[in-house]
Amino acid sequence: MDLSLRTESFTQDRRDWLGSAHGTDAPVSVTLDVSTFTAGTHYPDGYIKSGIPLGKITASGKYGPYDDTKTDGRQTCVGFLFTAQDVVSPRGTVSTSAVGSMLVHCFIREARLPVTIDAAGKTDLGARVIFV
């Protein structure tokens, strides 16, 4: 029996970027390719923030941050990360992938997103996502 002291930390997920609860009852499960995220931008506190726009990487089927300048599939915005995902362990190692959930139909308060989304990304989402 292991009775050693262990520490566990929990993230505080901010979802003030959501315009309503509409669509939150049907998120899609996704696997994130953590190597495509930038520590200082996407997970400065050890977790990838909810509200990050996502694109699907064609070769792997995993998801990374939407970026219109990429050519690996992430140039097409397909949804938003619904739940924050821990990617840095208490020992400081960064995960290679993380499983999360993505909203594909919702209302978004654009000004409260953790990163900006450009006009091309909004066009990719079509009428599935409404920006308020």
Side-chain angles (χ1 to χ4, degrees), residues 31-132:
T31 301
L32 304 174
D33 181 345
V34 178
S35 69
T36 61
F37 292 85
T38 306
T41 303
H42 301 113
Y43 57 97
D45 301 315
Y47 61 94
I48 299 174
K49 298 175 182 182
S50 66
I52 300 286
L54 298 175
K56 186 174 184 178
I57 302 165
T58 308
S60 67
K62 294 182 179 181
Y63 293 77
Y66 161 74
D67 185 340
D68 194 43
T69 66
K70 300 296 181 188
T71 58
D72 61 359
R74 291 183 291 145
Q75 71 273 16
T76 303
C77 188
V78 295
F80 292 86
L81 186 63
F82 181 47
T83 54
Q85 297 302 311
D86 289 320
V87 294
V88 179
S89 76
R91 294 186 179 113
T93 54
V94 179
S95 302
T96 56
S97 63
V99 176
S101 57
M102 177 178 68
L103 292 179
V104 295
H105 179 75
C106 54
F107 288 89
I108 300 287
R109 291 183 179 147
E110 184 177 358
R112 294 192 179 162
L113 285 171
V115 296
T116 59
I117 183 167
D118 60 15
K122 291 179 193 177
T123 300
D124 294 339
L125 295 163
R128 294 180 297 120
V129 175
I130 297 170
F131 292 88
V132 294

